Amino acid sequence: MMDGKNTLEPDLDFLRGLVEGGGNRTQYLTGHAFAVGGGLYAFQCFANWLLVILALDLPGIVWITLHSLPTVIFLAYCVWQGVRYGASNTGNATSRAITAAFQAAGFTNLALILIFAPTAIGRNDFTIWLFYPAVVFALQGAAWLTAYQLRRRLWLLGVALGWMVSAVALGLLIGNLAYLLVAGGALFLFMTVPGIVMVRLSKNQD
């Protein structure tokens, strides 16, 4: 007959992990990625808005660079971090669950690109593509809401609600220049700033 104590230990470890907080390398790296990615894409949104407002007659290469360079830089950064630190699965059950939620949201983004991009291109209607960021923002809100439900920290709930409100705002602002300002502001406030907070918390809790 199996020992009852040995049977309960994995469950007790999991529950203990859900209750305890604690920084770890995964949280540190995720926070760094949020800070860098949020900063790059916020800059992209604000730069686009400014160029449209100024009505500058720029060559196509400038627009292509503006739209592609942030992604190139961010992917290069992620590869560099992966090579430098390698895969990390440290931390308690809460940290791993939160990381899994963000990773799931990230992979879902790839599927959304394959849904929205072909339709927008096929119909030659850029408006369709503008719904993609709104859906991505909503997914980010869901991931942060998961983090709040696991950690019960009010700042996590604030970030989640910020993403969701921004997602609705983007949907309502399709075709309006304010769309770019809202997107840039949300990326900075709800991605860059929380990323910095995550990095600091991970250091304080080590």
Side-chain angles (χ1 to χ4, degrees):
M1 184 173 179
M2 188 175 294
D3 189 343
K5 180 179 179 181
N6 292 335
T7 304
L8 290 175
E9 279 182 354
D11 294 329
L12 291 174
D13 288 340
F14 178 77
L15 292 174
R16 188 181 302 114
L18 291 177
V19 174
E20 296 173 353
N24 54 78
R25 190 172 68 177
T26 300
Q27 182 180 357
Y28 175 83
L29 295 177
T30 301
H32 252 288
F34 280 167
V36 172
L40 285 170
Y41 289 116
F43 168 79
Q44 183 186 53
C45 290
F46 292 136
N48 269 283
W49 176 84
L50 184 60
L51 291 176
V52 172
I53 288 293
L54 295 176
L56 298 179
D57 186 16
L58 299 174
I61 187 64
V62 174
W63 292 103
I64 293 174
T65 301
L66 180 60
H67 286 85
S68 60
L69 190 58
T71 297
V72 172
I73 294 175
F74 185 58
L75 290 177
Y77 165 82
C78 291
V79 171
W80 174 72
Q81 287 285 58
V83 171
R84 182 182 180 187
Y85 293 103
S88 178
N89 192 33
T90 60
N92 55 40
T94 305
S95 298
R96 293 195 298 271
I98 292 173
T99 299
F102 285 117
Q103 289 175 342
F107 281 114
T108 303
N109 290 347
L110 298 177
L112 291 173
I113 291 174
L114 296 177
I115 293 171
F116 284 96
T119 303
I121 295 172
R123 294 176 177 268
N124 195 28
D125 185 357
F126 186 67
T127 301
I128 295 174
W129 176 252
L130 293 178
F131 283 100
Y132 162 72
V135 176
V136 171
F137 280 26
L139 283 174
Q140 285 294 316
W144 284 95
L145 185 59
T146 300
Y148 165 72
Q149 290 172 335
L150 290 172
R151 286 280 173 85
R152 292 296 176 181
R153 295 176 182 173
L154 285 178
W155 76 271
L156 296 174
L157 178 60
V159 175
L161 294 177
W163 278 115
M164 292 180 180
V165 170
S166 299
V168 175
L170 290 186
L172 296 175
L173 290 172
I174 298 292
N176 191 310
L177 269 180
Y179 179 100
L180 291 170
L181 291 179
V182 171
L187 286 164
F188 179 77
L189 291 175
F190 308 126
M191 190 169 182
T192 300
V193 174
I196 294 172
V197 172
M198 289 174 67
V199 169
R200 290 183 176 179
L201 288 176
S202 68
K203 288 181 178 179
N204 292 338
Q205 294 171 346
D206 282 339

